[in-house]
Amino acid sequence: MTKHEFKVEMECEKCSATVAKALGKLEDTKFEIDQPNNLVWIESDKDVKVLEDALRKTGKSFTYNGTK
């Protein structure tokens, strides 16, 4: 699986919970959230567009930082 890094605007624990809920709906995907540093790492073989669509549904602004 490829590990992708995103910078996601998350000001509080509720924000990170919203991101976790959205990403949790994706099958065969693992993720890690670093809320204090606004970073999310997603391990998945899914296309980046699918990952971006899931993050877009949270209403949070984000930037794709590439693969790690």
Side-chain angles (χ1 to χ4, degrees):
M1 283 200 277
T2 305
K3 189 171 189 175
H4 304 274
E5 182 181 277
F6 290 86
K7 183 167 183 76
V8 182
E9 293 296 322
M10 299 178 287
E11 297 177 6
C12 63
E13 287 183 27
K14 184 177 178 186
C15 296
S16 60
T18 300
V19 172
K21 183 177 179 182
L23 294 177
K25 294 179 180 179
L26 297 175
E27 291 183 13
D28 301 321
T29 300
K30 298 178 184 177
F31 59 91
E32 181 181 343
I33 298 174
D34 179 357
Q35 187 256 321
N37 292 310
N38 292 324
L39 293 174
V40 177
W41 297 278
I42 305 171
E43 288 186 60
S44 178
D45 288 329
K46 296 187 184 314
D47 189 81
V48 173
K49 296 290 183 193
V50 173
L51 305 178
E52 290 176 335
D53 286 345
L55 289 172
R56 197 169 287 114
K57 289 176 183 177
T58 68
K60 307 294 176 197
S61 60
F62 64 88
T63 305
Y64 180 56
N65 293 341
T67 57
K68 298 294 168 195

PDB file of all heavy atoms in Angstrom, residues 1-8 10 16-17 19-21 23-24 29-44 51 55 68:
ATOM      1  N   MET A   1       0.842  -1.191   0.000  1.00  0.00           N
ATOM      2  CA  MET A   1       0.000   0.000   0.000  1.00  0.00           C
ATOM      3  C   MET A   1       0.881   1.245   0.000  1.00  0.00           C
ATOM      4  O   MET A   1       1.946   1.258   0.588  1.00  0.00           O
ATOM      5  CB  MET A   1      -0.900   0.029   1.235  1.00  0.00           C
ATOM      6  CG  MET A   1      -2.082  -0.897   1.137  1.00  0.00           C
ATOM      7  SD  MET A   1      -3.420  -0.492   2.278  1.00  0.00           S
ATOM      8  CE  MET A   1      -2.848  -1.276   3.756  1.00  0.00           C
ATOM      9  N   THR A   2       0.395   2.263  -0.628  1.00  0.00           N
ATOM     10  CA  THR A   2       1.100   3.536  -0.692  1.00  0.00           C
ATOM     11  C   THR A   2       0.684   4.405   0.485  1.00  0.00           C
ATOM     12  O   THR A   2      -0.483   4.439   0.852  1.00  0.00           O
ATOM     13  CB  THR A   2       0.761   4.261  -2.014  1.00  0.00           C
ATOM     14  OG1 THR A   2       1.060   3.386  -3.102  1.00  0.00           O
ATOM     15  CG2 THR A   2       1.562   5.530  -2.157  1.00  0.00           C
ATOM     16  N   LYS A   3       1.650   5.104   1.062  1.00  0.00           N
ATOM     17  CA  LYS A   3       1.360   6.004   2.184  1.00  0.00           C
ATOM     18  C   LYS A   3       1.337   7.441   1.659  1.00  0.00           C
ATOM     19  O   LYS A   3       2.320   7.917   1.100  1.00  0.00           O
ATOM     20  CB  LYS A   3       2.412   5.849   3.287  1.00  0.00           C
ATOM     21  CG  LYS A   3       2.071   6.582   4.555  1.00  0.00           C
ATOM     22  CD  LYS A   3       3.031   6.213   5.660  1.00  0.00           C
ATOM     23  CE  LYS A   3       2.581   6.770   6.991  1.00  0.00           C
ATOM     24  NZ  LYS A   3       3.464   6.312   8.082  1.00  0.00           N
ATOM     25  N   HIS A   4       0.193   8.110   1.842  1.00  0.00           N
ATOM     26  CA  HIS A   4      -0.012   9.483   1.372  1.00  0.00           C
ATOM     27  C   HIS A   4      -0.070  10.420   2.569  1.00  0.00           C
ATOM     28  O   HIS A   4      -0.613  10.065   3.614  1.00  0.00           O
ATOM     29  CB  HIS A   4      -1.333   9.593   0.604  1.00  0.00           C
ATOM     30  CG  HIS A   4      -1.439   8.654  -0.549  1.00  0.00           C
ATOM     31  ND1 HIS A   4      -0.951   8.952  -1.791  1.00  0.00           N
ATOM     32  CD2 HIS A   4      -1.963   7.400  -0.637  1.00  0.00           C
ATOM     33  CE1 HIS A   4      -1.181   7.934  -2.609  1.00  0.00           C
ATOM     34  NE2 HIS A   4      -1.803   6.983  -1.923  1.00  0.00           N
ATOM     35  N   GLU A   5       0.476  11.618   2.399  1.00  0.00           N
ATOM     36  CA  GLU A   5       0.412  12.611   3.469  1.00  0.00           C
ATOM     37  C   GLU A   5      -0.425  13.806   3.021  1.00  0.00           C
ATOM     38  O   GLU A   5      -0.247  14.315   1.912  1.00  0.00           O
ATOM     39  CB  GLU A   5       1.817  13.100   3.839  1.00  0.00           C
ATOM     40  CG  GLU A   5       1.796  14.103   4.995  1.00  0.00           C
ATOM     41  CD  GLU A   5       3.177  14.607   5.358  1.00  0.00           C
ATOM     42  OE1 GLU A   5       3.876  13.913   6.104  1.00  0.00           O
ATOM     43  OE2 GLU A   5       3.547  15.687   4.856  1.00  0.00           O
ATOM     44  N   PHE A   6      -1.321  14.213   3.918  1.00  0.00           N
ATOM     45  CA  PHE A   6      -2.160  15.392   3.680  1.00  0.00           C
ATOM     46  C   PHE A   6      -2.015  16.345   4.854  1.00  0.00           C
ATOM     47  O   PHE A   6      -1.915  15.915   5.999  1.00  0.00           O
ATOM     48  CB  PHE A   6      -3.640  14.996   3.586  1.00  0.00           C
ATOM     49  CG  PHE A   6      -4.000  14.225   2.356  1.00  0.00           C
ATOM     50  CD1 PHE A   6      -3.858  12.841   2.323  1.00  0.00           C
ATOM     51  CD2 PHE A   6      -4.486  14.874   1.236  1.00  0.00           C
ATOM     52  CE1 PHE A   6      -4.199  12.111   1.202  1.00  0.00           C
ATOM     53  CE2 PHE A   6      -4.835  14.151   0.105  1.00  0.00           C
ATOM     54  CZ  PHE A   6      -4.687  12.766   0.084  1.00  0.00           C
ATOM     55  N   LYS A   7      -2.028  17.632   4.570  1.00  0.00           N
ATOM     56  CA  LYS A   7      -2.125  18.652   5.614  1.00  0.00           C
ATOM     57  C   LYS A   7      -3.603  19.040   5.645  1.00  0.00           C
ATOM     58  O   LYS A   7      -4.151  19.473   4.628  1.00  0.00           O
ATOM     59  CB  LYS A   7      -1.249  19.859   5.306  1.00  0.00           C
ATOM     60  CG  LYS A   7      -1.279  20.897   6.409  1.00  0.00           C
ATOM     61  CD  LYS A   7      -0.174  21.919   6.221  1.00  0.00           C
ATOM     62  CE  LYS A   7      -0.154  22.913   7.356  1.00  0.00           C
ATOM     63  NZ  LYS A   7       0.421  22.391   8.571  1.00  0.00           N
ATOM     64  N   VAL A   8      -4.242  18.823   6.797  1.00  0.00           N
ATOM     65  CA  VAL A   8      -5.686  19.051   6.927  1.00  0.00           C
ATOM     66  C   VAL A   8      -5.924  20.033   8.076  1.00  0.00           C
ATOM     67  O   VAL A   8      -5.375  19.860   9.164  1.00  0.00           O
ATOM     68  CB  VAL A   8      -6.433  17.727   7.211  1.00  0.00           C
ATOM     69  CG1 VAL A   8      -7.929  17.974   7.288  1.00  0.00           C
ATOM     70  CG2 VAL A   8      -6.119  16.682   6.151  1.00  0.00           C
ATOM     71  N   MET A  10      -7.325  21.123  11.111  1.00  0.00           N
ATOM     72  CA  MET A  10      -8.047  20.502  12.228  1.00  0.00           C
ATOM     73  C   MET A  10      -7.721  21.295  13.489  1.00  0.00           C
ATOM     74  O   MET A  10      -6.616  21.190  14.012  1.00  0.00           O
ATOM     75  CB  MET A  10      -7.605  19.037  12.407  1.00  0.00           C
ATOM     76  CG  MET A  10      -7.863  18.157  11.223  1.00  0.00           C
ATOM     77  SD  MET A  10      -7.263  16.471  11.458  1.00  0.00           S
ATOM     78  CE  MET A  10      -5.482  16.712  11.335  1.00  0.00           C
ATOM     79  N   SER A  16     -10.653  16.371  14.149  1.00  0.00           N
ATOM     80  CA  SER A  16      -9.936  15.142  13.813  1.00  0.00           C
ATOM     81  C   SER A  16     -10.886  13.946  13.833  1.00  0.00           C
ATOM     82  O   SER A  16     -10.737  13.014  13.036  1.00  0.00           O
ATOM     83  CB  SER A  16      -8.734  14.921  14.731  1.00  0.00           C
ATOM     84  OG  SER A  16      -9.124  14.816  16.070  1.00  0.00           O
ATOM     85  N   ALA A  17     -11.891  13.959  14.697  1.00  0.00           N
ATOM     86  CA  ALA A  17     -12.882  12.885  14.727  1.00  0.00           C
ATOM     87  C   ALA A  17     -13.704  12.868  13.438  1.00  0.00           C
ATOM     88  O   ALA A  17     -14.046  11.795  12.926  1.00  0.00           O
ATOM     89  CB  ALA A  17     -13.792  13.034  15.938  1.00  0.00           C
ATOM     90  N   VAL A  19     -12.612  13.833  10.489  1.00  0.00           N
ATOM     91  CA  VAL A  19     -11.719  13.277   9.472  1.00  0.00           C
ATOM     92  C   VAL A  19     -11.639  11.756   9.635  1.00  0.00           C
ATOM     93  O   VAL A  19     -11.730  11.015   8.654  1.00  0.00           O
ATOM     94  CB  VAL A  19     -10.318  13.927   9.559  1.00  0.00           C
ATOM     95  CG1 VAL A  19      -9.327  13.226   8.654  1.00  0.00           C
ATOM     96  CG2 VAL A  19     -10.405  15.413   9.210  1.00  0.00           C
ATOM     97  N   ALA A  20     -11.504  11.280  10.866  1.00  0.00           N
ATOM     98  CA  ALA A  20     -11.420   9.842  11.127  1.00  0.00           C
ATOM     99  C   ALA A  20     -12.688   9.127  10.668  1.00  0.00           C
ATOM    100  O   ALA A  20     -12.626   8.031  10.097  1.00  0.00           O
ATOM    101  CB  ALA A  20     -11.170   9.593  12.611  1.00  0.00           C
ATOM    102  N   LYS A  21     -13.828   9.732  10.902  1.00  0.00           N
ATOM    103  CA  LYS A  21     -15.096   9.125  10.497  1.00  0.00           C
ATOM    104  C   LYS A  21     -15.176   8.989   8.979  1.00  0.00           C
ATOM    105  O   LYS A  21     -15.579   7.955   8.457  1.00  0.00           O
ATOM    106  CB  LYS A  21     -16.262   9.958  11.023  1.00  0.00           C
ATOM    107  CG  LYS A  21     -17.616   9.371  10.718  1.00  0.00           C
ATOM    108  CD  LYS A  21     -18.734  10.191  11.322  1.00  0.00           C
ATOM    109  CE  LYS A  21     -20.087   9.606  10.995  1.00  0.00           C
ATOM    110  NZ  LYS A  21     -21.186  10.415  11.523  1.00  0.00           N
ATOM    111  N   LEU A  23     -12.643   8.920   6.791  1.00  0.00           N
ATOM    112  CA  LEU A  23     -11.649   7.967   6.288  1.00  0.00           C
ATOM    113  C   LEU A  23     -11.995   6.537   6.694  1.00  0.00           C
ATOM    114  O   LEU A  23     -11.662   5.583   5.988  1.00  0.00           O
ATOM    115  CB  LEU A  23     -10.260   8.336   6.789  1.00  0.00           C
ATOM    116  CG  LEU A  23      -9.711   9.659   6.259  1.00  0.00           C
ATOM    117  CD1 LEU A  23      -8.362   9.953   6.895  1.00  0.00           C
ATOM    118  CD2 LEU A  23      -9.603   9.647   4.739  1.00  0.00           C
ATOM    119  N   GLY A  24     -12.671   6.382   7.819  1.00  0.00           N
ATOM    120  CA  GLY A  24     -13.066   5.066   8.288  1.00  0.00           C
ATOM    121  C   GLY A  24     -14.064   4.374   7.374  1.00  0.00           C
ATOM    122  O   GLY A  24     -14.226   3.160   7.423  1.00  0.00           O
ATOM    123  N   THR A  29      -8.179   0.659   3.871  1.00  0.00           N
ATOM    124  CA  THR A  29      -7.428   1.898   4.066  1.00  0.00           C
ATOM    125  C   THR A  29      -7.091   2.047   5.541  1.00  0.00           C
ATOM    126  O   THR A  29      -7.952   1.870   6.400  1.00  0.00           O
ATOM    127  CB  THR A  29      -8.268   3.111   3.598  1.00  0.00           C
ATOM    128  OG1 THR A  29      -8.577   2.944   2.215  1.00  0.00           O
ATOM    129  CG2 THR A  29      -7.528   4.410   3.783  1.00  0.00           C
ATOM    130  N   LYS A  30      -5.836   2.355   5.823  1.00  0.00           N
ATOM    131  CA  LYS A  30      -5.398   2.640   7.186  1.00  0.00           C
ATOM    132  C   LYS A  30      -5.006   4.108   7.232  1.00  0.00           C
ATOM    133  O   LYS A  30      -4.537   4.671   6.240  1.00  0.00           O
ATOM    134  CB  LYS A  30      -4.189   1.778   7.558  1.00  0.00           C
ATOM    135  CG  LYS A  30      -4.456   0.293   7.533  1.00  0.00           C
ATOM    136  CD  LYS A  30      -3.192  -0.470   7.853  1.00  0.00           C
ATOM    137  CE  LYS A  30      -3.424  -1.965   7.733  1.00  0.00           C
ATOM    138  NZ  LYS A  30      -2.192  -2.722   7.969  1.00  0.00           N
ATOM    139  N   PHE A  31      -5.169   4.731   8.391  1.00  0.00           N
ATOM    140  CA  PHE A  31      -4.793   6.138   8.491  1.00  0.00           C
ATOM    141  C   PHE A  31      -4.309   6.460   9.894  1.00  0.00           C
ATOM    142  O   PHE A  31      -4.601   5.750  10.859  1.00  0.00           O
ATOM    143  CB  PHE A  31      -5.961   7.053   8.104  1.00  0.00           C
ATOM    144  CG  PHE A  31      -7.186   6.877   8.955  1.00  0.00           C
ATOM    145  CD1 PHE A  31      -7.356   7.646  10.094  1.00  0.00           C
ATOM    146  CD2 PHE A  31      -8.165   5.962   8.618  1.00  0.00           C
ATOM    147  CE1 PHE A  31      -8.488   7.491  10.890  1.00  0.00           C
ATOM    148  CE2 PHE A  31      -9.290   5.794   9.398  1.00  0.00           C
ATOM    149  CZ  PHE A  31      -9.450   6.564  10.538  1.00  0.00           C
ATOM    150  N   GLU A  32      -3.552   7.538   9.961  1.00  0.00           N
ATOM    151  CA  GLU A  32      -3.033   8.055  11.228  1.00  0.00           C
ATOM    152  C   GLU A  32      -3.237   9.562  11.199  1.00  0.00           C
ATOM    153  O   GLU A  32      -2.975  10.209  10.185  1.00  0.00           O
ATOM    154  CB  GLU A  32      -1.548   7.715  11.349  1.00  0.00           C
ATOM    155  CG  GLU A  32      -0.910   8.180  12.630  1.00  0.00           C
ATOM    156  CD  GLU A  32       0.570   7.836  12.684  1.00  0.00           C
ATOM    157  OE1 GLU A  32       1.037   6.986  11.912  1.00  0.00           O
ATOM    158  OE2 GLU A  32       1.267   8.463  13.503  1.00  0.00           O
ATOM    159  N   ILE A  33      -3.704  10.109  12.318  1.00  0.00           N
ATOM    160  CA  ILE A  33      -3.979  11.549  12.405  1.00  0.00           C
ATOM    161  C   ILE A  33      -3.095  12.176  13.471  1.00  0.00           C
ATOM    162  O   ILE A  33      -3.043  11.704  14.598  1.00  0.00           O
ATOM    163  CB  ILE A  33      -5.466  11.799  12.729  1.00  0.00           C
ATOM    164  CG1 ILE A  33      -6.347  11.243  11.609  1.00  0.00           C
ATOM    165  CG2 ILE A  33      -5.727  13.289  12.945  1.00  0.00           C
ATOM    166  CD1 ILE A  33      -7.831  11.309  11.896  1.00  0.00           C
ATOM    167  N   ASP A  34      -2.401  13.244  13.087  1.00  0.00           N
ATOM    168  CA  ASP A  34      -1.594  14.048  14.011  1.00  0.00           C
ATOM    169  C   ASP A  34      -2.262  15.414  14.085  1.00  0.00           C
ATOM    170  O   ASP A  34      -1.888  16.339  13.360  1.00  0.00           O
ATOM    171  CB  ASP A  34      -0.157  14.148  13.491  1.00  0.00           C
ATOM    172  CG  ASP A  34       0.741  14.982  14.387  1.00  0.00           C
ATOM    173  OD1 ASP A  34       0.256  15.548  15.392  1.00  0.00           O
ATOM    174  OD2 ASP A  34       1.942  15.090  14.072  1.00  0.00           O
ATOM    175  N   GLN A  35      -3.285  15.519  14.928  1.00  0.00           N
ATOM    176  CA  GLN A  35      -4.099  16.731  14.990  1.00  0.00           C
ATOM    177  C   GLN A  35      -3.301  17.983  15.375  1.00  0.00           C
ATOM    178  O   GLN A  35      -3.478  19.024  14.745  1.00  0.00           O
ATOM    179  CB  GLN A  35      -5.291  16.504  15.931  1.00  0.00           C
ATOM    180  CG  GLN A  35      -6.292  17.633  15.931  1.00  0.00           C
ATOM    181  CD  GLN A  35      -6.183  18.513  17.154  1.00  0.00           C
ATOM    182  OE1 GLN A  35      -5.965  18.039  18.250  1.00  0.00           O
ATOM    183  NE2 GLN A  35      -6.319  19.791  16.968  1.00  0.00           N
ATOM    184  N   PRO A  36      -2.375  17.930  16.344  1.00  0.00           N
ATOM    185  CA  PRO A  36      -1.632  19.153  16.682  1.00  0.00           C
ATOM    186  C   PRO A  36      -0.823  19.733  15.509  1.00  0.00           C
ATOM    187  O   PRO A  36      -0.649  20.937  15.411  1.00  0.00           O
ATOM    188  CB  PRO A  36      -0.698  18.705  17.812  1.00  0.00           C
ATOM    189  CG  PRO A  36      -1.376  17.520  18.408  1.00  0.00           C
ATOM    190  CD  PRO A  36      -2.057  16.833  17.264  1.00  0.00           C
ATOM    191  N   ASN A  37      -0.355  18.849  14.614  1.00  0.00           N
ATOM    192  CA  ASN A  37       0.433  19.307  13.467  1.00  0.00           C
ATOM    193  C   ASN A  37      -0.373  19.333  12.170  1.00  0.00           C
ATOM    194  O   ASN A  37       0.183  19.584  11.101  1.00  0.00           O
ATOM    195  CB  ASN A  37       1.667  18.417  13.296  1.00  0.00           C
ATOM    196  CG  ASN A  37       2.638  18.599  14.437  1.00  0.00           C
ATOM    197  OD1 ASN A  37       3.004  19.723  14.790  1.00  0.00           O
ATOM    198  ND2 ASN A  37       3.044  17.504  15.047  1.00  0.00           N
ATOM    199  N   ASN A  38      -1.672  19.074  12.277  1.00  0.00           N
ATOM    200  CA  ASN A  38      -2.579  19.101  11.117  1.00  0.00           C
ATOM    201  C   ASN A  38      -2.144  18.159  10.000  1.00  0.00           C
ATOM    202  O   ASN A  38      -2.261  18.485   8.824  1.00  0.00           O
ATOM    203  CB  ASN A  38      -2.715  20.532  10.570  1.00  0.00           C
ATOM    204  CG  ASN A  38      -3.447  21.436  11.518  1.00  0.00           C
ATOM    205  OD1 ASN A  38      -4.383  21.022  12.189  1.00  0.00           O
ATOM    206  ND2 ASN A  38      -3.017  22.674  11.594  1.00  0.00           N
ATOM    207  N   LEU A  39      -1.632  16.975  10.362  1.00  0.00           N
ATOM    208  CA  LEU A  39      -1.189  16.023   9.355  1.00  0.00           C
ATOM    209  C   LEU A  39      -2.012  14.744   9.429  1.00  0.00           C
ATOM    210  O   LEU A  39      -2.398  14.297  10.509  1.00  0.00           O
ATOM    211  CB  LEU A  39       0.289  15.684   9.556  1.00  0.00           C
ATOM    212  CG  LEU A  39       1.269  16.819   9.297  1.00  0.00           C
ATOM    213  CD1 LEU A  39       2.679  16.396   9.680  1.00  0.00           C
ATOM    214  CD2 LEU A  39       1.220  17.249   7.840  1.00  0.00           C
ATOM    215  N   VAL A  40      -2.262  14.179   8.259  1.00  0.00           N
ATOM    216  CA  VAL A  40      -2.960  12.903   8.144  1.00  0.00           C
ATOM    217  C   VAL A  40      -2.169  12.039   7.164  1.00  0.00           C
ATOM    218  O   VAL A  40      -1.828  12.487   6.073  1.00  0.00           O
ATOM    219  CB  VAL A  40      -4.402  13.093   7.608  1.00  0.00           C
ATOM    220  CG1 VAL A  40      -5.091  11.759   7.412  1.00  0.00           C
ATOM    221  CG2 VAL A  40      -5.209  13.979   8.546  1.00  0.00           C
ATOM    222  N   TRP A  41      -1.863  10.809   7.597  1.00  0.00           N
ATOM    223  CA  TRP A  41      -1.201   9.853   6.720  1.00  0.00           C
ATOM    224  C   TRP A  41      -2.198   8.755   6.418  1.00  0.00           C
ATOM    225  O   TRP A  41      -2.814   8.193   7.321  1.00  0.00           O
ATOM    226  CB  TRP A  41       0.040   9.251   7.382  1.00  0.00           C
ATOM    227  CG  TRP A  41       1.083  10.279   7.661  1.00  0.00           C
ATOM    228  CD1 TRP A  41       1.998  10.777   6.781  1.00  0.00           C
ATOM    229  CD2 TRP A  41       1.327  10.953   8.900  1.00  0.00           C
ATOM    230  NE1 TRP A  41       2.792  11.720   7.406  1.00  0.00           N
ATOM    231  CE2 TRP A  41       2.395  11.845   8.709  1.00  0.00           C
ATOM    232  CE3 TRP A  41       0.731  10.894  10.159  1.00  0.00           C
ATOM    233  CZ2 TRP A  41       2.892  12.654   9.718  1.00  0.00           C
ATOM    234  CZ3 TRP A  41       1.218  11.713  11.161  1.00  0.00           C
ATOM    235  CH2 TRP A  41       2.290  12.578  10.936  1.00  0.00           C
ATOM    236  N   ILE A  42      -2.343   8.463   5.141  1.00  0.00           N
ATOM    237  CA  ILE A  42      -3.301   7.446   4.706  1.00  0.00           C
ATOM    238  C   ILE A  42      -2.553   6.382   3.907  1.00  0.00           C
ATOM    239  O   ILE A  42      -1.874   6.702   2.936  1.00  0.00           O
ATOM    240  CB  ILE A  42      -4.404   8.067   3.818  1.00  0.00           C
ATOM    241  CG1 ILE A  42      -5.086   9.240   4.540  1.00  0.00           C
ATOM    242  CG2 ILE A  42      -5.422   7.010   3.418  1.00  0.00           C
ATOM    243  CD1 ILE A  42      -6.026  10.036   3.656  1.00  0.00           C
ATOM    244  N   GLU A  43      -2.690   5.126   4.345  1.00  0.00           N
ATOM    245  CA  GLU A  43      -2.117   3.998   3.613  1.00  0.00           C
ATOM    246  C   GLU A  43      -3.234   3.341   2.827  1.00  0.00           C
ATOM    247  O   GLU A  43      -4.197   2.834   3.413  1.00  0.00           O
ATOM    248  CB  GLU A  43      -1.495   2.990   4.569  1.00  0.00           C
ATOM    249  CG  GLU A  43      -0.204   3.468   5.193  1.00  0.00           C
ATOM    250  CD  GLU A  43       0.455   2.397   6.026  1.00  0.00           C
ATOM    251  OE1 GLU A  43       0.795   1.330   5.469  1.00  0.00           O
ATOM    252  OE2 GLU A  43       0.603   2.627   7.232  1.00  0.00           O
ATOM    253  N   SER A  44      -3.092   3.376   1.500  1.00  0.00           N
ATOM    254  CA  SER A  44      -4.155   2.852   0.652  1.00  0.00           C
ATOM    255  C   SER A  44      -3.638   2.644  -0.764  1.00  0.00           C
ATOM    256  O   SER A  44      -2.723   3.349  -1.213  1.00  0.00           O
ATOM    257  CB  SER A  44      -5.319   3.837   0.622  1.00  0.00           C
ATOM    258  OG  SER A  44      -6.346   3.371  -0.222  1.00  0.00           O
ATOM    259  N   LEU A  51      -9.206   9.474  -2.120  1.00  0.00           N
ATOM    260  CA  LEU A  51      -8.829   9.958  -0.791  1.00  0.00           C
ATOM    261  C   LEU A  51      -9.205  11.429  -0.632  1.00  0.00           C
ATOM    262  O   LEU A  51      -9.733  11.839   0.406  1.00  0.00           O
ATOM    263  CB  LEU A  51      -7.333   9.753  -0.562  1.00  0.00           C
ATOM    264  CG  LEU A  51      -6.807   8.324  -0.758  1.00  0.00           C
ATOM    265  CD1 LEU A  51      -5.301   8.283  -0.554  1.00  0.00           C
ATOM    266  CD2 LEU A  51      -7.520   7.341   0.144  1.00  0.00           C
ATOM    267  N   LEU A  55     -11.822  13.325   2.054  1.00  0.00           N
ATOM    268  CA  LEU A  55     -11.450  14.481   2.877  1.00  0.00           C
ATOM    269  C   LEU A  55     -12.326  15.694   2.555  1.00  0.00           C
ATOM    270  O   LEU A  55     -12.690  16.461   3.445  1.00  0.00           O
ATOM    271  CB  LEU A  55      -9.970  14.831   2.681  1.00  0.00           C
ATOM    272  CG  LEU A  55      -8.984  13.830   3.286  1.00  0.00           C
ATOM    273  CD1 LEU A  55      -7.561  14.179   2.861  1.00  0.00           C
ATOM    274  CD2 LEU A  55      -9.091  13.814   4.803  1.00  0.00           C
ATOM    275  N   LYS A  68       4.868   9.187   1.058  1.00  0.00           N
ATOM    276  CA  LYS A  68       5.935   9.111   2.059  1.00  0.00           C
ATOM    277  C   LYS A  68       6.538   7.738   2.068  1.00  0.00           C
ATOM    278  O   LYS A  68       5.910   6.753   1.872  1.00  0.00           O
ATOM    279  CB  LYS A  68       5.405   9.455   3.457  1.00  0.00           C
ATOM    280  CG  LYS A  68       4.869  10.869   3.536  1.00  0.00           C
ATOM    281  CD  LYS A  68       5.979  11.857   3.355  1.00  0.00           C
ATOM    282  CE  LYS A  68       5.434  13.249   3.135  1.00  0.00           C
ATOM    283  NZ  LYS A  68       6.339  14.188   2.628  1.00  0.00           N
TER     284      LYS A  68
END
